[in-house]
Amino acid sequence: MANFPFAHWLVACWRDPAATAELAAMYRGRQFHAVVRQLPVSSIANTISALVLACVFWGQVDSVALVGWTLLVSAIALGNALLWWSRRAVPPSTPVSLRTVRLMVAGIAASALTFVSMSGYLYGTTDGDGRLLLTAVLAAFIGVGSWMYSCLPQAAMVWACILCGGVAQQFIARPEPVYTYLTGLLALYAVVVWSTTLLTSRMFLNGLKFEAEIERQKQLVGLLLNDFEAHASDWLWETDCQGCLRHVSQRLAQAMGVPSAELQGQPLVQRLAALSPQMVPAHAAMFRALEACLAQRQPFRDVLVPARVAGQLQWWSLTAKPLRDGAGRWRGWRGVGSDVTVARQRELEMARLAHIDTLTGLANRYQFGKRLAGYFSPAATAGPCTLLLLDLDNFKTVNDSLGHALGDQLLQEVSLRLQSVLDPLALLARLGGDEFALLLPGVLERPEAERLGAQMQAALALPWMANGHRIAVHASIGVGFAPDDANTAEQLLKVSDMALYAAKAAGRRTLRFFDPSMALRAQQHLAVLSDLGLALQRGDFVLHYQPQVDLASGALLGFEALVRWQHPLRGLVSPLDFITVAEESGLIVLLGAWVLRQACVDAADWPAHLR
């Protein structure tokens, strides 16, 4: 405030330099009407004060002067009351002219002069007690009046200056020393009153600025909303406490395909549900989710609901927040709706592609795993189900000899043939390559499983001609049951795979059920496989030589080299127990190379005629 002159401060409080003439007139109107609203109170207070002072000083001064002064104060009060009555229905933001404001300031100045003139007359005729009463009354009038008129700083300053000046004149005219001190105190009191008045006025003006800005933003938001409703693809909606539509935008009426007048006052959820009279359970669950969101009275976004318009299934996304009044009471909902049909269709297609095998159209490994896991629960025993794993016996030959394109056609043909003999409740999936899985609810009896396997083999065995080639298709099948064979999805897959392995080992084109002995053989197979690599590194293998004799002459011709495994714990292991494992793992190449080298080294020391 050091470099902010008093005059500039007063002007800033009275008229915002950045405001337009229209805005300044609106500000004046708000200030003017703020003072007018208080006129009844001030008029009653002035009249009562005049009557009290007349009663107190009756008989001490000229009664004619007291009556005349009281009537004058009452007349001013009546004029103020009439002004309030004429302006009571006028909106506070109605602009007023400078002339109107000046007339009000003049009326307030006349009221102040009336009190000052009478107080000066009474000061000269009354005693010390009377003057003390007058001083107290005038001090109260100065403070209360300045505060009441602070909305209009000119009126407040005129009121305070006239009253303070009149009281100061009476103090200076008195010869007693105490009035000298009172004059100083009055000066301090006047400064405090003027500062408080200007500060209050500035706060009032700042409030007007904030209100004007809020109103401007409301108008801007209204324009944006109107433009949004007119041009955007989304639509607005608003409901009351009962969930009935209170505001129906044109876009909403067009989206629903009904006139807006018909939607007014209708329950939102019921109107949306009426667009899909025959809905699947998943769609009904979506409407229940929407009702749950509305019942919670909390903001929500992107709640999806189906809508069938003109025979076409659409998907709408709803976002809303609750409406509340100034007291925080819930008054309904306001939100926006969007047509997300294209995005929803894309999402559904992506979900479909994530769950199917794109080559055959069957369920893929992911969907199969989810369905299989559904039969098992951590809190209960496994649900009854039957798993059949199928592996095409001659697919690799077809794929390598005739090409991958024809191999893909073969997989498609196999999937069609298998589906033709299966129950609709069964889940047929392609796990990858030429491996298929069939998941059936419930546990089949073994004869039933064998009959189903025979049906599938028969369907696959039908001749298939491709590019002039007649291709025979058959498969090996492994069967596992839950909960008889397994209590988890992983175990069921494992035991079915063991049964499939056994079917292949049995000569292919066969079906085998899981047996606990298969698990033991699998463990032994794994142990042998694990030890084979170490055995090659340690040199645990030895060669045994079997003589080759000429039966006619009995002469020794040479020796046949036979490999044996000298295991450090199991002793001498027969080739029957490790050659097959070596072939499957690829270690047979390293083992064969070692046998050739060792046999050549041993044969170098034999007589020349032996081979």
Side-chain angles (χ1 to χ4, degrees), residues 57 60 122-123 125-135 174 176 179:
F57 291 101
Q60 299 181 31
L122 294 175
Y123 252 91
T125 58
T126 187
D127 55 10
D129 292 339
R131 287 193 290 272
L132 178 61
L133 176 61
L134 284 173
T135 301
R174 306 305 301 174
E176 294 87 349
Y179 287 101

Side-chain angles (χ1 to χ4, degrees), residues 543-547 559-562 595 598-603 606:
L543 291 181
H544 289 191
Y545 294 99
Q546 178 172 296
F559 298 90
E560 179 184 3
L562 303 177
V595 169
Q598 188 62 39
C600 291
V601 169
D602 293 342
W606 296 348

Side-chain angles (χ1 to χ4, degrees), residues 153-167:
Q154 297 98 318
M157 296 300 292
V158 165
W159 173 269
C161 288
I162 292 176
L163 289 179
C164 287
V167 175

